[in-house]
Amino acid sequence: MAGGKDGWKNDKMLARAILRDRAARRKLIGRMLLLALALMATGIWLIDGWLAKNPWWFLLWWGGCAVITSLVMLFALYDALAVIREEREKYR
């Protein structure tokens, strides 16, 4: 990772580009959704016995899944609001 002000400036530019470009935003949402589904499927079918042995690992795993799922929902809400704003600006 780049450090200092240049790294922060590059990160801000990348975030701004993703948030303003509809296609990039939707690609990010799709990838995050696939990640959330893959983690949930892994937790249900592949490592369920391992998670059942220790309640802390169980809470950590499913808490992480909940956080990622919540982020996907927040990005989807942002996308919906951004589309509404874009359409309103198009007709002004």
Side-chain angles (χ1 to χ4, degrees), residues 37-52:
L37 290 173
L39 287 173
M40 287 181 203
T42 301
I44 291 171
W45 290 308
L46 299 178
I47 61 171
D48 58 336
W50 179 69
L51 291 175

Side-chain angles (χ1 to χ4, degrees), residues 18-45:
I18 289 172
L19 291 177
R20 291 190 183 184
D21 182 29
R22 187 185 296 190
R25 208 172 41 231
R26 292 195 175 163
K27 273 186 188 178
L28 179 66
I29 292 170
R31 289 177 181 160
M32 288 177 60
L33 182 61
L34 286 176
L35 174 66
L37 290 173
L39 287 173
M40 287 181 203
T42 301
I44 291 171
W45 290 308

Side-chain angles (χ1 to χ4, degrees), residues 2-23:
K5 290 185 179 185
D6 291 337
W8 176 248
K9 187 176 181 180
N10 290 339
D11 290 345
K12 284 190 339 185
M13 287 175 27
L14 178 63
R16 189 173 289 134
I18 289 172
L19 291 177
R20 291 190 183 184
D21 182 29
R22 187 185 296 190

Side-chain angles (χ1 to χ4, degrees), residues 38-71:
L39 287 173
M40 287 181 203
T42 301
I44 291 171
W45 290 308
L46 299 178
I47 61 171
D48 58 336
W50 179 69
L51 291 175
K53 290 179 185 176
N54 188 340
W56 291 110
W57 285 118
F58 180 87
L59 290 173
L60 184 66
W61 183 268
W62 291 112
C65 288
V67 167
I68 292 173
T69 303
S70 298
L71 284 173

